[in-house]
Amino acid sequence: MSTAELLKGAAELFPDEVVTQAHVRHLELPGAVGTFALITLDNGLDHTKPTTFGPQSLANVDAAITQVEAEAAEGRIVGVGITGKPFIFAVGADLKGVELLKRHEDALAIGKGGHDVFKRLAGIAVPTFAYYNGAAMGGGVEIGLHCSYRTVSAALPAFSLPEVFLGLVPGWGGCTLLPNLIGADRAVTVIIENSLNQNKQLKGAQVYELGIADALFEGADFLEQSLLWTASVLSGEMTVERPEIDRGDAWDQAVARGRSVADSKVHGAAPAAYRALDIVAAVKDGDLQAGYDAEDTTLADLIMGGELRSGIYAFNLVQRRAKRPAGAPDKALARPVTKVGVVGAGLMASQLALLFLRRLEVPVVLTDIDQERIDKGVGYVHAEIDKLLGKGRINQDKANRYKGLVTGVLEKADGFADADFVIEAVFEEMGVKQKVFAEVEAVAPAHAIFATNTSSLSVTEMASKLKNPERVVGFHFFNPVAVLPLLEIVRGEQTDEASLATAFGVAKKLRKSAVLVKDAPAFVVNRILTRFMGEIQNVIDEGTPVDVAERAVEPLGLPMSPLVLLELVGPAIGLHVSETLHRSFPDRFTVSPNLAAVVKAGKRGFYVHDSGKPELDPDVLSLLEQGDSVLTEERTRARVLDAVAEEIGLMLDEGVVAEAQDIDLCLLTGAGWPFHLGGITPYLDREGVSERVNGKRFLAPGVASVPA
């Protein structure tokens, strides 16, 4: 079947494609070098709708290549360039089309169609150039790899091969061409390590330093400078030299390093990274066609697998659902926020003050029980501003302005009388929080919203003693505040629409993924994690060795093991949340006597890190009192997953969130759970746990799975 027929068939499966055009224009290169054909990739929309490649888009690129190929053969042009619309080069395959595929042969056509088009660039009779003018990802990077030369803009903010992160492989030449261009080790960093490191993006200068691009130019006149450089290359004035690729042991070592990175991140739980490394290993001898064929097969296999569907589902949750939170009130009801008060000046409160300061750019005032704490909190914010200045993230004027906007007061009346939004981050105890809000209500204006950063306490009870309980809203951040995007916005029983709308408006300005949550114990993430961790603790208490219980959940590929997570959270906080949930749900949430003993002994966790890697602390092991019921890893895993599935089912029955999708969004953005799990519910569906425990799937077939 011809490429045109392949793409036509694929286009019929995907009628809603946002089509990218490939406009060809001709220009005279400086220095009388000759006529040059420039192809511009553009979907006709602004930079907020990045250019992608669906079947019709690939057909348009194919037609443009046919045109310039003929012009080159006739000697009418001296070279061909490809660039993108303002701020965007191209961000790869249109994943909405991939979701629709039901048959292996259709999935194979996606890989083959892309290869057949992009490969033609190498066959044109004149040199080809890619000008990475803006964001380039996946297939956008790969079309450039098929060219003879590449330039990159210093202003380029994001460049990556994110496929492994989603459960795919770079399947239009990435696994084959990149190691043959920059060496296997650097390619493994881009394809595997960056991708599994929460889809880390490269900046323009890094793309150049890695050797992916041959020249780096400033953003302001990037295309002009690229064309001048192109003229010098075509005239022979400039010779591009690339280092020789080491095809010996270094190649094998790079692949081995990639496998160890994959093992540390996904523990063999998701196939994409390993399949990508198989292709890199196979192209050591430089056989490009063998690499392309392997990419086609691998792409098709993965497109028809559950991990990719979960990955796309997760991607869509983070990119779309997070931007339009389910159940959020009309944003027209939101009130303006021109000043923020923060009660507390400890680490969490100081992090919040810095975030509000940077995103809202309004006065932020901190308060605490003594001047020393206040000074420490303001000092923390100032020090963080100095760090941003030192890294070049802000200039001196902005640093001075930020420092001028943050202040501390001992008396709430001195700082909160004109605050529109007051958030508390004080000790996690109901009486303390109620007292704080009563003090704030006495001095704050009538329209001010009161937000609590509680992780598990009832927002309704917290507001119950106020004259105006309707303006209290839960605003639960996750640590580290600057890194984790989730914000659980909790509606108390009396919270009104204006307060809720204002909270969502502030969340958007803070660039957080807000999820509306019912005022239920521990809300979403902490409730699920506490049930998850609690079941592991139960198994340990009953007699299963600690290391067996830890290894049991490795196949999920979580960002860290349960007891390392406990160390990060702090055993005392973990114990406190489990006690809170035990009071609410004593039949399902236990309070581990062993965890209580660890906290009483003042231990920070189950591990010591003296050797550089975590080892079980012998002092902690000596504290443990275990029963004689020893479970295998498989049985432990089944118990833990059953417990999580039961808890999520109950939370959905209680209406804690609107849908299972919100549970997944919370785990992805608040707990860093992997995209290949889709959060958690697609995995529970795929493994049959949902039906075993609840008698039904969480998601309909075709949602986060291959359509029937």
Side-chain angles (χ1 to χ4, degrees):
M1 191 184 287
S2 71
T3 302
E5 288 170 322
L6 262 180
L7 294 173
K8 187 171 183 293
E12 286 167 3
L13 293 171
F14 184 19
D16 299 325
E17 176 186 353
V18 176
V19 177
T20 295
Q21 304 298 331
H23 306 289
V24 181
R25 63 187 169 115
H26 297 89
L27 40 94
E28 295 302 316
L29 288 174
V33 172
T35 303
F36 188 76
L38 182 66
I39 300 171
T40 302
L41 305 170
D42 191 347
N43 61 6
L45 302 167
D46 69 17
H47 68 279
T48 62
K49 302 284 191 300
T51 305
T52 52
F53 296 125
Q56 186 54 55
S57 304
L58 284 174
N60 291 342
V61 175
D62 194 48
I65 293 173
T66 297
Q67 178 186 333
V68 298
E69 191 176 53
E71 292 170 354
E74 293 163 13
R76 291 196 281 142
I77 54 172
V78 293
V80 175
I82 301 177
T83 194
K85 67 182 184 182
F87 310 110
I88 303 288
F89 182 77
V91 298
D94 190 325
L95 293 174
K96 293 194 293 296
V98 173
E99 285 177 86
L100 303 172
L101 298 175
K102 299 179 183 180
R103 301 185 310 161
H104 194 275
E105 53 264 45
D106 294 331
L108 196 61
I110 290 283
K112 201 162 173 355
H115 272 133
D116 287 353
V117 174
F118 291 179
K119 265 185 345 195
R120 296 182 64 199
L121 289 164
I124 296 175
V126 293
T128 51
F129 298 78
Y131 306 133
Y132 292 124
N133 63 302
M137 297 171 203
V141 169
E142 290 170 302
I143 193 172
L145 294 178
H146 285 269
C147 293
S148 321
Y149 304 97
R150 286 154 295 282
T151 67
V152 67
S153 167
L156 181 147
F159 182 105
S160 64
L161 289 171
E163 286 85 352
V164 166
F165 178 66
L166 294 171
L168 273 176
V169 298
W172 286 344
C175 291
T176 300
L177 293 171
L178 194 61
N180 278 290
L181 175 68
I182 62 173
D185 195 61
R186 287 179 164 189
V188 161
T189 297
V190 177
I191 297 168
I192 306 296
E193 193 167 13
N194 289 358
S195 201
L196 291 178
N197 188 16
Q198 289 298 307
N199 193 19
K200 181 182 174 185
Q201 300 294 318
L202 297 168
K203 300 277 195 286
Q206 295 169 302
V207 174
Y208 173 64
E209 285 157 17
L210 282 167
I212 299 171
D214 303 303
L216 175 74
F217 299 114
E218 288 303 318
D221 57 351
F222 170 70
L223 188 56
E224 185 184 344
Q225 292 300 321
S226 292
L227 291 169
L228 283 168
W229 181 84
T230 297
S232 67
V233 170
L234 291 173
S235 68
E237 183 188 327
M238 163 80 68
T239 304
V240 173
E241 292 181 3
R242 299 191 182 118
E244 195 175 334
I245 301 300
D246 188 332
R247 298 183 185 279
D249 288 345
W251 195 289
D252 301 331
Q253 287 163 11
V255 172
R257 181 176 76 84
R259 292 193 195 285
S260 68
V261 168
D263 286 343
S264 72
K265 293 288 187 181
V266 300
H267 308 284
Y274 303 97
R275 296 292 298 269
L277 288 163
D278 288 343
I279 301 169
V280 173
V283 297
K284 179 180 175 181
D285 61 359
D287 185 343
L288 301 185
Q289 189 53 52
Y292 298 154
D293 291 343
E295 287 176 353
D296 286 345
T297 306
T298 303
L299 207 57
D301 290 348
L302 292 172
I303 284 172
M304 300 311 292
E307 286 82 3
L308 171 69
R309 303 303 171 127
S310 295
I312 295 175
Y313 164 81
F315 181 79
N316 288 337
L317 289 181
V318 170
Q319 293 297 317
R320 294 182 205 155
R321 192 177 184 93
K323 292 176 174 59
R324 290 187 289 279
D330 183 349
K331 56 184 178 221
L333 297 171
R335 298 176 185 140
V337 173
T338 60
K339 185 177 183 181
V340 173
V342 181
V343 185
L347 181 58
M348 189 67 176
S350 303
Q351 288 181 60
L352 293 178
L354 178 69
L355 180 68
F356 278 91
L357 185 66
R358 290 190 65 200
R359 297 289 181 245
L360 270 61
E361 298 192 331
V362 299
V364 175
V365 59
L366 290 139
T367 186
D368 212 315
I369 56 173
D370 59 52
Q371 194 62 45
E372 186 183 345
R373 290 175 202 235
I374 294 166
D375 293 343
K376 190 176 176 186
V378 174
Y380 169 89
V381 177
H382 281 202
E384 291 299 310
I385 291 167
D386 286 336
K387 282 184 198 170
L388 292 168
L389 178 63
K391 290 175 183 170
R393 303 268 294 279
I394 57 173
N395 60 27
Q396 187 67 58
D397 284 349
K398 187 162 267 193
N400 293 343
R401 191 154 60 84
Y402 281 168
K403 286 183 180 179
L405 285 171
V406 63
T407 54
V409 295
L410 196 52
E411 296 298 328
K412 294 181 181 68
D414 296 339
F416 290 4
D418 56 350
D420 306 303
F421 191 95
V422 179
I423 184 165
E424 67 75 25
V426 298
F427 186 65
E428 190 75 347
E429 202 274 307
M430 183 59 77
V432 174
K433 290 183 186 284
Q434 286 179 330
K435 180 171 180 284
V436 159
F437 274 150
E439 291 168 355
V440 171
E441 188 177 48
V443 298
H447 69 268
I449 308 300
F450 300 163
T452 169
N453 185 44
T454 183
S455 59
S456 60
L457 299 176
S458 166
V459 174
T460 303
E461 188 182 342
M462 209 177 293
S464 62
K465 299 189 176 174
L466 297 178
K467 295 189 199 75
N468 299 106
E470 70 278 357
R471 54 177 168 162
V472 179
V473 63
F475 217 61
H476 180 218
F477 290 87
F478 290 79
N479 232 334
V481 169
V483 177
L484 290 173
L486 179 63
L487 187 50
E488 291 179 339
I489 294 185
V490 186
R491 179 177 207 151
E493 284 175 19
Q494 291 182 277
T495 306
D496 64 18
E497 293 286 291
S499 301
L500 205 58
T502 306
F504 274 99
V506 169
K508 188 169 186 181
K509 286 185 178 170
L510 295 176
R511 300 181 202 166
K512 293 296 181 185
S513 299
V515 174
L516 179 61
V517 181
K518 182 181 173 184
D519 187 18
F523 315 129
V524 177
V525 172
N526 284 346
R527 180 163 164 185
I528 292 170
L529 290 185
T530 303
R531 186 78 198 272
F532 173 80
M533 305 270 283
E535 204 55 45
I536 287 189
Q537 191 71 59
N538 289 343
V539 168
I540 292 170
D541 292 353
E542 290 163 18
T544 299
V546 172
D547 57 332
V548 173
E550 285 270 81
R551 280 200 308 273
V553 292
E554 275 189 359
L556 276 74
L558 299 176
M560 61 189 75
S561 75
L563 294 183
V564 170
L565 175 62
L566 180 67
E567 194 172 302
L568 183 73
V569 170
I573 292 173
L575 181 65
H576 175 75
V577 176
S578 68
E579 288 169 341
T580 302
L581 281 160
H582 176 68
R583 284 194 293 274
S584 301
F585 310 114
D587 55 327
R588 301 194 309 280
F589 287 86
T590 53
V591 178
S592 164
N594 282 323
L595 180 57
V598 169
V599 173
K600 188 177 179 185
K603 289 291 181 181
R604 294 177 62 86
F606 277 65
Y607 292 100
V608 287
H609 300 268
D610 301 339
S611 65
K613 64 175 197 240
E615 292 175 3
L616 286 166
D617 184 341
D619 293 347
V620 169
L621 289 177
S622 69
L623 292 171
L624 300 185
E625 292 185 7
Q626 294 180 279
D628 54 10
S629 173
V630 179
L631 298 185
T632 62
E633 289 177 27
E634 291 75 17
R635 186 71 199 98
T636 299
R637 184 163 58 251
R639 255 186 66 174
V640 171
L641 293 175
D642 284 4
V644 170
E646 180 189 32
E647 201 59 39
I648 292 170
L650 291 166
M651 289 166 72
L652 292 171
D653 289 346
E654 291 167 25
V656 175
V657 289
E659 291 182 292
Q661 283 86 337
D662 293 311
I663 299 272
D664 293 320
L665 181 58
C666 284
L667 287 174
L668 290 162
T669 56
W673 279 38
F675 268 44
H676 71 258
L677 293 185
I680 185 61
T681 68
Y683 179 81
L684 295 172
D685 285 351
R686 198 161 70 230
E687 296 294 311
V689 181
S690 312
E691 291 189 60
R692 182 171 75 233
V693 174
N694 299 321
K696 60 183 180 182
R697 296 167 58 97
F698 287 113
L699 302 168
V703 177
S705 56
V706 178

